[in-house]
Amino acid sequence: DGLHDPDAIDDLVATARDDDDPTIRVKATWILGRTRNERAINGLTSLLNDGDPEVRLNAASSLTSLGSTAGLETLAEMLDSNQLRQSLQARGLSSPQVESQMVAIPLSALQSLSLLLEKSPSADLEPLRDHVEALANHGNRRIQISAKDVLIKMNSSKSKK
């Protein structure tokens, strides 16, 4: 199977890291996470520093799907509304694109945290609590509900420690 072929993983990492087109880097990063192959972890970790927030988000989300906490700092960035807005505006996105991403990216980051807590209940997400709590009061109901889900899981895993 190609997704478990070390050369295919290395090729995807190289594409995600080096391609000039951010949409190609985003897609390659997403595919790396779907390989469920631990060999992808080093490549994904290096992508946490990409200039494109979607590449960073996909790398962080993919790492959480592999049970790794290496992307938590990046997820925190995606949960911080002010920092995220600045990052999106710096990319030159139109106002409607920014607003769309201001919902989609935090939702994806929250889903990643929820998945991480399911896979690794002992993961320490306390440094992200303030961001998640702020999103629990967000104007978007989908973000509110997702944030509350993460808070419930955080509290549940904390009480089991």
Side-chain angles (χ1 to χ4, degrees), residues 50-109:
D50 192 273
D52 187 279
E54 272 191 274
V55 172
R56 291 195 309 273
L57 174 62
N58 276 346
S61 296
S62 294
L63 285 162
T64 61
S65 74
L66 294 167
S68 171
T69 58
L72 290 183
E73 188 175 317
T74 299
L75 290 175
E77 173 190 333
M78 302 302 157
L79 296 173
D80 181 326
S81 296
N82 293 330
Q83 190 173 359
L84 178 59
R85 184 175 297 281
Q86 288 174 350
S87 179
L88 292 169
Q89 289 171 336
R91 282 179 58 205
L93 297 179
S94 69
S95 205
Q97 289 172 315
V98 168
E99 293 313 311
S100 171
Q101 292 299 298
M102 289 296 296
V103 172
I105 289 175
L107 273 175
S108 183

Side-chain angles (χ1 to χ4, degrees), residues 1-17 32 35 37 39-40:
D1 171 320
L3 293 179
H4 297 287
D5 174 2
D7 291 336
I9 301 273
D10 292 344
D11 288 347
L12 279 170
V13 169
T15 298
R17 184 187 57 231
L32 276 169
T35 66
N37 187 318
R39 182 178 173 86

Side-chain angles (χ1 to χ4, degrees), residues 114-160:
S114 181
L115 177 64
L116 179 62
L117 286 168
E118 288 170 14
K119 290 184 76 91
S120 303
S122 62
D124 181 14
L125 301 186
E126 282 305 309
L128 303 180
R129 183 176 288 278
D130 288 347
H131 295 303
V132 177
E133 286 177 347
L135 291 174
N137 297 311
H138 192 276
N140 181 289
R141 293 286 295 149
R142 289 174 51 215
I143 290 176
Q144 286 178 13
I145 291 167
S146 294
K148 289 174 183 174
D149 173 55
V150 170
L151 288 171
I152 289 167
K153 288 177 180 169
M154 287 174 72
N155 292 337
S156 175
S157 69
K158 189 175 170 181
S159 67
K160 291 178 184 174

Side-chain angles (χ1 to χ4, degrees), residues 9-40:
I9 301 273
D10 292 344
D11 288 347
L12 279 170
V13 169
T15 298
R17 184 187 57 231
D18 301 331
D19 200 280
D20 291 335
D21 183 345
T23 59
I24 298 294
R25 292 198 320 274
V26 166
K27 184 69 172 178
T29 305
W30 183 84
I31 293 168
L32 276 169
R34 299 308 156 281
T35 66
R36 303 283 189 242
N37 187 318
E38 291 194 14
R39 182 178 173 86

